Amino acid sequence: MKTQTVKFFLALQLISLFLITSCQGDDSKEVTNNPDLENAQLKSFPLSEVAYLDIKITHPEIVNGEEKKYGEIEITIPRTHTSLMLSLKQFNLDNNKYSIFPAIGEQQDFSKGSVTYTISSNFDKNKSVHYNVKVVAEAGSVNLNTKITGFSFEKSKNPFLESTINAVKIIEYENYSENAIYILVPVGTDFSKLTPTIAFDAAKLYYSSGTEFKLYTSNTMEVDFKYPKRFYLQAENSNGTKSKIYNVIVDVKDPVKFEQLPVITPNVKSGDGTATQFLPAVVKWTNQGNHPVRGMAVESYKNKTFPFDYTGDANTITAILSNPVGGTDGVLPGEKGDVNITVRKMPVAGKYKTTAVFAPTFNFNNHTIHNWPVTERVEGIFNTVELSIESTISE
């Protein structure tokens, strides 16, 4: 009986020892599932929005299980991908052991600098490592120039044009903040629907139709050039330290059109040659261009004919273009103005003739057309226009 009791207790101790060992084995297994920070390392950082060209990874410094210095990741993406709102596409660690924040798919703004990503242990949230992630565009060739070199309306992009039209003048005005591009289109062109082709010697090109400049990325963009709209281009160098702004002026070669030619005035009574007869609004003229036309004096007279032999240079007939609408800065596009004529009461009766030559110029300072002398920021880009006038002086 005593022997059986001893055997029973020995067996019971063996079972207890086995259970204790088994429990210890389970505890040991649970401990090994608790990952250490040395293994919390990112081997890559794929992006959801774009495939990167290069990546450089420096892992965090861990001393005695504690993070002493953040890791660094620098990602290079193509220059053609302009948006820096990017997100992590894939996390290459065991999701049962580790988690990352910001999470997969959450877009971050890398244009403001590095974004810090935190990798934490799922078993102990106090244990974590960090990576400062920076995204940069691939390096391109350095361009220190800031020039617009070409501007045109190609027929292929503007099918209503008979042929491709190039700018008549691209000019930089020294000591001014704005430069100019002048391009002249046929009469009747819809100024609101033109697609330009732009060539430039610069790192970047921006455009503005109003308050802010945006990156110009396509030569297929339709632009509204119709007065009073304005269109600006800004050419910038690689360093972003220098730029030039160009204002694009679109108009026609012949902004002034007379309703009838020649103009025949009412008869004027003869006199002693000192008095004159003022004849207002003898005929109308139309502004068929794209900018206001101010009142315009004659540049010169030619083809002068008298009813007697005369070799001098006197002007019996003179003319001026005027704006009949008060309060406006010139005759607006599509509207009409007056031709006012003055006839000198000559002592010899008969028919007098002359041709008035008008030479419109564009004033960049106020974006109007007038007959200012060509000088800095006043451009003689238009054709001259002629008005034939006949007047009969009767006794």
Side-chain angles (χ1 to χ4, degrees), residues 16-26:
S16 300
L17 181 61
F18 175 77
L19 291 173
I20 292 171
T21 304
S22 298
C23 291
Q24 289 176 343
D26 291 342

Side-chain angles (χ1 to χ4, degrees), residues 2 11 37 171 183 224 227 304 393:
K2 184 180 289 186
L37 296 182
I171 186 169
I183 184 165
D224 185 357
Y227 178 85
K304 289 181 280 189
I393 295 179

Side-chain angles (χ1 to χ4, degrees), residues 122-320:
N122 291 341
F123 299 92
D124 185 352
K125 296 300 182 182
N126 293 322
K127 288 190 174 184
S128 61
V129 294
H130 305 81
Y131 284 89
N132 290 326
V133 182
K134 180 182 180 181
V135 178
V136 297
E138 65 178 322
S141 58
V142 176
N143 191 335
L144 300 180
N145 296 327
T146 56
K147 286 182 174 290
I148 304 292
T149 57
F151 191 99
S152 64
F153 294 130
E154 295 181 348
K155 178 175 173 53
S156 59
K157 300 174 186 176
N158 304 273
F160 47 84
L161 296 176
E162 292 185 0
S163 61
T164 295
I165 299 174
N166 296 308
V168 296
K169 197 169 192 178
I170 300 175
I171 186 169
E172 296 177 8
Y173 295 121
E174 295 184 7
N175 304 318
Y176 291 92
S177 60
E178 286 184 22
N179 305 298
I181 299 171
Y182 297 94
I183 184 165
L184 302 177
V185 298
V187 172
T189 299
D190 187 347
F191 296 103
S192 68
K193 295 180 179 179
L194 288 164
T195 301
T197 299
I198 306 166
F200 57 96
D201 182 10
K204 292 181 180 179
L205 183 66
Y206 298 88
Y207 76 96
S208 173
S209 297
T211 57
E212 62 177 337
F213 280 94
K214 300 177 182 178
L215 188 64
Y216 189 87
T217 58
S218 172
N219 263 328
T220 60
M221 183 177 70
E222 188 177 83
V223 180
D224 185 357
F225 293 97
K226 188 175 182 178
Y227 178 85
K229 297 287 183 64
R230 295 199 184 186
F231 183 71
Y232 300 91
L233 293 170
Q234 178 174 297
E236 184 179 87
N237 66 5
S238 296
N239 301 330
T241 57
K242 185 179 179 182
S243 64
K244 291 178 183 176
I245 295 176
Y246 295 78
N247 191 185
V248 182
I249 309 300
V250 183
D251 217 298
V252 300
K253 293 180 180 180
D254 301 291
V256 175
K257 180 184 179 182
F258 297 109
E259 285 192 347
Q260 66 183 65
L261 290 173
V263 174
I264 300 176
T265 73
N267 290 356
V268 176
K269 288 187 177 182
S270 61
D272 60 3
T274 59
T276 59
Q277 178 72 48
F278 178 66
L279 304 172
V282 174
V283 71
K284 295 285 186 180
W285 60 274
T286 301
N287 178 1
Q288 58 183 0
N290 190 39
H291 293 88
V293 179
R294 289 185 171 181
M296 193 176 300
V298 173
E299 179 192 52
S300 62
Y301 294 93
K302 65 179 185 179
N303 302 329
K304 289 181 280 189
T305 302
F306 297 82
F308 56 92
D309 292 334
Y310 178 72
T311 58
D313 197 36
N315 293 315
T316 302
I317 305 171
T318 58
I320 191 169

Side-chain angles (χ1 to χ4, degrees), residues 42-60:
L42 293 177
K43 305 299 183 183
S44 65
F45 199 97
L47 298 170
S48 303
E49 295 76 14
V50 60
Y52 59 71
L53 301 175
D54 189 25
I55 187 169
K56 298 176 183 178
I57 301 177
T58 302
H59 297 298

Side-chain angles (χ1 to χ4, degrees), residues 68-128:
K68 298 300 181 182
K69 185 178 180 181
Y70 286 11
E72 304 283 342
I73 297 178
E74 182 175 301
I75 300 170
T76 302
I77 64 173
R79 293 179 64 86
T80 54
H81 190 88
T82 57
S83 174
L84 289 179
M85 292 297 296
L86 304 168
S87 63
L88 176 63
K89 181 178 181 181
Q90 182 180 335
F91 183 43
N92 60 13
L93 295 179
D94 188 346
N95 290 323
N96 295 320
K97 297 179 181 181
Y98 302 99
S99 59
I100 189 167
F101 180 83
I104 294 173
E106 290 186 0
Q107 283 195 334
Q108 306 297 310
D109 187 358
F110 287 89
S111 67
K112 299 178 180 178
S114 299
V115 175
T116 300
Y117 278 76
T118 302
I119 301 173
S120 302
S121 167
N122 291 341
F123 299 92
D124 185 352
K125 296 300 182 182
N126 293 322
K127 288 190 174 184
S128 61

